[in-house]
Amino acid sequence: MCADFVNLTPENLANEHLCCIIRSKKAHPGVEAKRRWLAERLREGHVFRKLDEKATAFIEYAPLETAWTPITGDNYLYIYCLWVTGDCKGKGIGRSLMEYCLADARAQGKSGVCMLGAAKQKAWLSDQAFARRFGFETVDTTDDGYELLALSFDGSKPRFAPGAKRQQIDRPELTVYYDMQCPFILQKVEALRQYCEANAVPSDFILVDTLEKAKAMPCVFNNWAVFYKGQFQSVNLMDVGTLERLLKKSAN
C-alpha cells in the first residue's frame, strides 16, 4: 500500500493531532493531558506513529523498561495501542504500523515485542488476533483470563510482574487506577467521580503518575484498572452505564 505516516516528536507534538479525539478548534482536556504525558515519554524512547491524515490510525509503543505497565523483561518493546478505525480499515494500514514497530525493534537489537491481551478480546486492548498473525503468542497468563502476548526474536520471554497477578486489593470501595496515556481517560474519570458523588457511592480514583507506581500495580494495567469489593473488574474504560450494571450485579 502507499500511505504517508508521521512520528510525533518534541518539535511537532504541539501541532499534530493525537488520533483518538480530533479537535480542529476547541482544545480537549483529555487530549491536552495526553500531550503533556507524551512530552515526558518521548524522551524515553516512546514512539507514537500515525497516518498523516485526520484519522484514527496509529501505533504507540515504548521500551518495556520505561513502559507504564506491570510487565518485566529485558530488552523488549511494549505496544500500548494499535488502532485503525473507520475508512482506514482494510487498507493495510494496521499491517504497515505493526511492521514498522517490528522493524524498529530489530533495528534496535531488541529481544522482541510484547502487548497485553486476554483470552476473550477486551474492547480497550489492541486486536490480539491481528497480532497473532505476526507470530505473537501467549507467554504468561493471569487466573482471570488476561494474557501477555509476545513475539520473541531470541527465545527470551517477558512476564507479568508478580504483583500484577494478584488482581485484588484490601479495600471494598470502587477503586479506579488510571494514568494519562489515553485521551479518553480524563473525561471517563470525571464522569464516574461525579456519578459516585451524586449517588453516595464510596470510591477512590488513584492517578498512577510515575513509572514506579505503574510497575507495582496490583493487577494488569495498560492505562486503566477497576476494582470493586476488593476484586479486579476490568482494564476497559468504564462509563456510567457500565458502572451502574456493576453495582446492580454486585448488589444481587
Side-chain angles (χ1 to χ4, degrees):
M1 62 156 293
C2 181
D4 292 326
F5 296 90
V6 60
N7 287 19
L8 296 185
T9 68
E11 292 74 27
N12 68 15
L13 178 59
N15 298 317
E16 291 287 345
H17 73 77
L18 300 186
C19 290
C20 301
I21 301 174
I22 300 173
R23 293 291 184 271
S24 59
K25 295 181 180 179
K26 187 177 179 180
H28 187 284
V31 171
E32 296 314 309
K34 168 64 180 280
R35 212 182 294 277
R36 291 190 294 272
W37 187 87
L38 267 178
E40 298 295 323
R41 305 287 78 75
L42 290 177
R43 68 184 70 178
E44 300 167 352
H46 189 109
V47 173
F48 190 115
R49 181 172 176 82
K50 66 190 182 82
L51 188 67
D52 193 14
E53 295 181 14
K54 189 172 286 187
T56 300
F58 70 99
I59 189 169
E60 191 169 359
Y61 61 88
L64 183 56
E65 292 83 356
T66 57
W68 287 32
T69 185
I71 295 170
T72 62
D74 294 326
N75 205 34
Y76 264 73
L77 293 181
Y78 175 77
I79 298 176
Y80 284 100
C81 192
L82 170 56
W83 196 12
V84 178
T85 66
D87 293 341
C88 294
K89 296 189 72 171
K91 298 180 179 179
I93 293 171
R95 172 171 289 278
S96 292
L97 291 167
M98 177 66 86
E99 288 175 346
Y100 178 91
C101 175
L102 300 183
D104 191 14
R106 290 188 171 94
Q108 294 184 54
K110 296 294 184 182
S111 295
V113 180
C114 61
M115 60 184 278
L116 181 62
K120 183 178 180 181
Q121 178 70 44
K122 304 296 182 182
W124 290 88
L125 294 179
S126 300
D127 186 345
Q128 59 207 37
F130 178 75
R132 290 184 188 278
R133 296 177 203 161
F134 292 84
F136 282 75
E137 59 184 8
T138 301
V139 296
D140 203 0
T141 61
T142 67
D143 290 341
D144 56 349
Y146 284 89
E147 300 180 345
L148 176 58
L149 305 180
L151 173 58
S152 177
F153 302 151
D154 62 9
S156 65
K157 296 179 180 179
R159 289 285 184 263
F160 285 123
K165 292 190 175 186
R166 284 174 53 198
Q167 304 289 71
Q168 60 183 10
I169 56 176
D170 297 325
R171 53 200 309 170
E173 66 268 27
L174 176 75
T175 303
V176 178
Y177 293 91
Y178 66 98
D179 66 24
M180 293 300 173
Q181 186 271 330
C182 173
F184 286 104
I185 286 175
L186 191 60
Q187 65 195 63
K188 296 292 186 183
V189 168
E190 290 308 310
L192 294 182
R193 196 193 307 273
Q194 291 175 18
Y195 176 88
C196 290
E197 290 176 355
N199 293 275
V201 177
S203 59
D204 194 9
F205 295 87
I206 302 172
L207 175 61
V208 178
D209 55 3
T210 67
L211 175 65
E212 291 71 25
K213 290 179 183 179
K215 290 295 187 186
M217 285 291 294
C219 60
V220 294
F221 181 78
N222 194 53
N223 52 43
W224 177 274
V226 178
F227 286 84
Y228 188 56
K229 294 185 177 180
Q231 298 301 310
F232 179 74
Q233 301 297 320
S234 182
V235 295
N236 286 4
L237 269 66
M238 180 179 286
D239 57 22
V240 168
T242 304
L243 174 56
E244 288 179 330
R245 289 191 290 274
L246 171 62
L247 297 176
K248 183 178 180 180
K249 179 179 178 181
S250 298
N252 294 333

